[in-house]
mmCIF file of all heavy atoms in Angstrom:
data_model
loop_
_atom_site.group_PDB
_atom_site.id
_atom_site.type_symbol
_atom_site.label_atom_id
_atom_site.label_comp_id
_atom_site.label_asym_id
_atom_site.label_seq_id
_atom_site.Cartn_x
_atom_site.Cartn_y
_atom_site.Cartn_z
ATOM 1 N N CYS A 444 -32.742 36.422 -25.664
ATOM 2 C CA CYS A 444 -34.012 35.773 -25.322
ATOM 3 C C CYS A 444 -34.639 35.086 -26.532
ATOM 4 O O CYS A 444 -35.154 33.970 -26.433
ATOM 5 C CB CYS A 444 -34.995 36.803 -24.743
ATOM 6 S SG CYS A 444 -34.535 37.442 -23.117
ATOM 7 N N LEU A 445 -34.585 35.753 -27.690
ATOM 8 C CA LEU A 445 -35.198 35.197 -28.892
ATOM 9 C C LEU A 445 -34.483 33.934 -29.343
ATOM 10 O O LEU A 445 -35.123 32.946 -29.732
ATOM 11 C CB LEU A 445 -35.188 36.235 -30.019
ATOM 12 C CG LEU A 445 -35.918 35.817 -31.309
ATOM 13 C CD1 LEU A 445 -37.417 35.688 -31.060
ATOM 14 C CD2 LEU A 445 -35.656 36.828 -32.426
ATOM 15 N N GLN A 446 -33.138 33.931 -29.312
ATOM 16 C CA GLN A 446 -32.388 32.753 -29.733
ATOM 17 C C GLN A 446 -32.667 31.564 -28.816
ATOM 18 O O GLN A 446 -32.835 30.432 -29.281
ATOM 19 C CB GLN A 446 -30.891 33.066 -29.752
ATOM 20 C CG GLN A 446 -30.457 33.958 -30.888
ATOM 21 C CD GLN A 446 -30.753 33.334 -32.243
ATOM 22 O OE1 GLN A 446 -30.397 32.205 -32.513
ATOM 23 N NE2 GLN A 446 -31.424 34.089 -33.099
ATOM 24 N N VAL A 447 -32.739 31.810 -27.507
ATOM 25 C CA VAL A 447 -33.068 30.736 -26.570
ATOM 26 C C VAL A 447 -34.499 30.267 -26.796
ATOM 27 O O VAL A 447 -34.791 29.065 -26.799
ATOM 28 C CB VAL A 447 -32.876 31.207 -25.113
ATOM 29 C CG1 VAL A 447 -33.382 30.161 -24.131
ATOM 30 C CG2 VAL A 447 -31.415 31.518 -24.848
ATOM 31 N N TRP A 448 -35.399 31.208 -26.995
ATOM 32 C CA TRP A 448 -36.824 30.929 -27.231
ATOM 33 C C TRP A 448 -36.998 30.028 -28.446
ATOM 34 O O TRP A 448 -37.707 29.024 -28.404
ATOM 35 C CB TRP A 448 -37.542 32.265 -27.429
ATOM 36 C CG TRP A 448 -39.035 32.245 -27.377
ATOM 37 C CD1 TRP A 448 -39.818 31.863 -26.328
ATOM 38 C CD2 TRP A 448 -39.926 32.687 -28.398
ATOM 39 N NE1 TRP A 448 -41.140 32.043 -26.644
ATOM 40 C CE2 TRP A 448 -41.235 32.551 -27.907
ATOM 41 C CE3 TRP A 448 -39.749 33.208 -29.685
ATOM 42 C CZ2 TRP A 448 -42.370 32.892 -28.655
ATOM 43 C CZ3 TRP A 448 -40.867 33.553 -30.423
ATOM 44 C CH2 TRP A 448 -42.160 33.392 -29.919
ATOM 45 N N LEU A 449 -36.320 30.377 -29.538
ATOM 46 C CA LEU A 449 -36.453 29.611 -30.775
ATOM 47 C C LEU A 449 -35.741 28.258 -30.690
ATOM 48 O O LEU A 449 -36.273 27.239 -31.134
ATOM 49 C CB LEU A 449 -35.894 30.419 -31.952
ATOM 50 C CG LEU A 449 -36.677 31.682 -32.333
ATOM 51 C CD1 LEU A 449 -35.964 32.426 -33.452
ATOM 52 C CD2 LEU A 449 -38.099 31.335 -32.747
ATOM 53 N N ALA A 450 -34.522 28.253 -30.137
ATOM 54 C CA ALA A 450 -33.757 27.004 -30.058
ATOM 55 C C ALA A 450 -34.479 25.962 -29.212
ATOM 56 O O ALA A 450 -34.561 24.784 -29.582
ATOM 57 C CB ALA A 450 -32.367 27.272 -29.493
ATOM 58 N N SER A 451 -35.027 26.378 -28.073
ATOM 59 C CA SER A 451 -35.724 25.428 -27.206
ATOM 60 C C SER A 451 -37.050 24.985 -27.818
ATOM 61 O O SER A 451 -37.420 23.807 -27.749
ATOM 62 C CB SER A 451 -35.970 26.056 -25.829
ATOM 63 O OG SER A 451 -36.709 27.269 -25.948
ATOM 64 N N SER A 452 -37.744 25.921 -28.439
ATOM 65 C CA SER A 452 -39.031 25.574 -29.042
ATOM 66 C C SER A 452 -38.862 24.613 -30.212
ATOM 67 O O SER A 452 -39.748 23.794 -30.481
ATOM 68 C CB SER A 452 -39.749 26.842 -29.522
ATOM 69 O OG SER A 452 -40.021 27.708 -28.444
ATOM 70 N N LEU A 453 -37.733 24.701 -30.900
ATOM 71 C CA LEU A 453 -37.508 23.832 -32.053
ATOM 72 C C LEU A 453 -37.369 22.372 -31.659
ATOM 73 O O LEU A 453 -37.471 21.485 -32.519
ATOM 74 C CB LEU A 453 -36.261 24.286 -32.816
ATOM 75 C CG LEU A 453 -36.462 25.490 -33.740
ATOM 76 C CD1 LEU A 453 -35.122 25.928 -34.328
ATOM 77 C CD2 LEU A 453 -37.430 25.163 -34.863
ATOM 78 N N LEU A 454 -37.146 22.102 -30.368
ATOM 79 C CA LEU A 454 -37.135 20.716 -29.936
ATOM 80 C C LEU A 454 -38.479 20.064 -30.226
ATOM 81 O O LEU A 454 -38.560 18.874 -30.546
ATOM 82 C CB LEU A 454 -36.812 20.636 -28.435
ATOM 83 C CG LEU A 454 -35.385 20.994 -28.031
ATOM 84 C CD1 LEU A 454 -35.271 21.079 -26.512
ATOM 85 C CD2 LEU A 454 -34.402 19.968 -28.577
ATOM 86 N N ALA A 455 -39.549 20.865 -30.114
ATOM 87 C CA ALA A 455 -40.882 20.350 -30.425
ATOM 88 C C ALA A 455 -41.036 20.045 -31.904
ATOM 89 O O ALA A 455 -41.891 19.243 -32.291
ATOM 90 C CB ALA A 455 -41.952 21.356 -29.983
ATOM 91 N N ASP A 456 -40.224 20.671 -32.739
ATOM 92 C CA ASP A 456 -40.288 20.394 -34.165
ATOM 93 C C ASP A 456 -39.900 18.958 -34.481
ATOM 94 O O ASP A 456 -40.290 18.423 -35.519
ATOM 95 C CB ASP A 456 -39.384 21.358 -34.942
ATOM 96 C CG ASP A 456 -40.191 22.429 -35.661
ATOM 97 O OD1 ASP A 456 -41.436 22.361 -35.602
ATOM 98 O OD2 ASP A 456 -39.584 23.322 -36.274
ATOM 99 N N GLY A 457 -39.110 18.337 -33.606
ATOM 100 C CA GLY A 457 -38.803 16.926 -33.790
ATOM 101 C C GLY A 457 -40.070 16.089 -33.730
ATOM 102 O O GLY A 457 -40.293 15.184 -34.547
ATOM 103 N N LEU A 458 -40.933 16.396 -32.755
ATOM 104 C CA LEU A 458 -42.231 15.721 -32.667
ATOM 105 C C LEU A 458 -43.103 16.059 -33.866
ATOM 106 O O LEU A 458 -43.845 15.200 -34.373
ATOM 107 C CB LEU A 458 -42.951 16.129 -31.379
ATOM 108 C CG LEU A 458 -42.432 15.529 -30.076
ATOM 109 C CD1 LEU A 458 -43.112 16.189 -28.878
ATOM 110 C CD2 LEU A 458 -42.661 14.021 -30.055
ATOM 111 N N ALA A 459 -43.018 17.304 -34.330
ATOM 112 C CA ALA A 459 -43.800 17.712 -35.495
ATOM 113 C C ALA A 459 -43.391 16.922 -36.731
ATOM 114 O O ALA A 459 -44.235 16.495 -37.528
ATOM 115 C CB ALA A 459 -43.638 19.212 -35.735
#
Side-chain angles (χ1 to χ4, degrees):
C444 291
L445 185 67
Q446 287 300 309
V447 173
W448 193 61
L449 293 176
S451 57
S452 298
L453 281 174
L454 290 171
D456 255 356
L458 286 172

